[in-house]
Amino acid sequence: MMGMDSPLFSTLRHMMDTPEDVDKSHNAPTQTFVRDAKAMAATPADVKEYPNSYVFVIDMPGLKSGDIKVQVEDNNVLTISGERKRDEEKEGAKYVRMERRVGKFMRKFVLPENANTDSISAVCQDGVLTVTVEKLPPPQPKKPKTIEVKIA
C-alpha cells in the first residue's frame, strides 16, 4: 500500500505548490484524488500491441465478472475498475494475518487515435482480465481524381 510519503504523492504535492501567501487548504489533493491515485498505483497492467488490436491484461484473482467494470470515457479513455470485497468472517474465526488487497481498484488508459471504441471485448478467465480493443483500418490513400478535359 502506498503512503502519503511515496514518490508519487511527493511529486504531486511538488507540482501543486503555490506561493506561501495562498491558503494551503486549496493546494491539498482531494480525498477522491488520493483514493483514485492509490487504486491506480495498486493495479498493474500489461499492454500489448498487435497488428490489428491492443490488448490490456490485468490480474484479477478471486473476482467475478460482476465485480469488474470496463468503460470508455470521453471517447478515448479506457477505464477498468471494480472492488474486491473482504470475505465474510465466519463465527469464531479471526484473521491472524491479512495480506491480500481489498478495496477499490482502477486503471485508465488513453487509447490511440486508431483504436475502434465500438469494438472492445473483455474476458476474465482464471483470474486474469483480458480487454481487447480492435484497431480501425488504416485510411485508404486518396486516389487522384481525373478531370475530363473538354474541347472548347
Side-chain angles (χ1 to χ4, degrees):
M1 201 67 146
M2 273 180 18
M4 292 299 288
D5 57 344
S6 73
L8 173 66
F9 289 110
S10 175
T11 302
L12 289 172
R13 277 195 299 276
H14 177 71
M15 289 172 50
M16 298 175 70
D17 276 346
T18 56
E20 292 298 320
D21 57 339
V22 176
D23 180 12
K24 287 292 183 187
S25 66
H26 294 296
N27 195 25
T30 65
Q31 286 182 330
T32 302
F33 177 83
V34 172
R35 182 197 69 223
D36 289 352
K38 284 181 180 180
M40 288 175 65
T43 309
D46 294 337
V47 181
K48 299 184 246 181
E49 181 177 5
Y50 292 96
N52 296 319
S53 64
Y54 298 98
V55 176
F56 301 83
V57 181
I58 302 175
D59 290 338
M60 301 279 174
L63 291 179
K64 298 178 180 85
S65 61
D67 298 330
I68 304 166
K69 187 188 294 185
V70 178
Q71 297 176 296
V72 175
E73 301 172 349
D74 303 326
N75 292 323
N76 73 333
V77 179
L78 177 68
T79 302
I80 301 168
S81 62
E83 184 171 7
R84 178 175 286 117
K85 296 180 178 133
R86 182 174 303 176
D87 295 335
E88 290 184 28
E89 292 186 30
K90 295 192 169 54
E91 191 173 322
K94 65 178 182 176
Y95 283 100
V96 175
R97 173 176 281 178
M98 181 185 288
E99 294 181 354
R100 296 185 313 150
R101 188 176 146 352
V102 294
K104 294 182 186 255
F105 62 87
M106 174 179 53
R107 279 305 299 266
K108 290 187 178 192
F109 304 93
V110 176
L111 297 172
E113 287 183 21
N114 67 341
N116 183 354
T117 57
D118 293 326
S119 183
I120 297 176
S121 62
V123 175
C124 191
Q125 181 177 355
D126 297 330
V128 178
L129 175 67
T130 303
V131 179
T132 303
V133 180
E134 299 296 328
K135 290 183 178 179
L136 292 169
Q140 296 295 325
K142 285 195 167 193
K143 296 178 184 174
K145 183 177 177 181
T146 305
I147 313 293
E148 183 182 336
V149 178
K150 297 183 182 177
I151 301 175

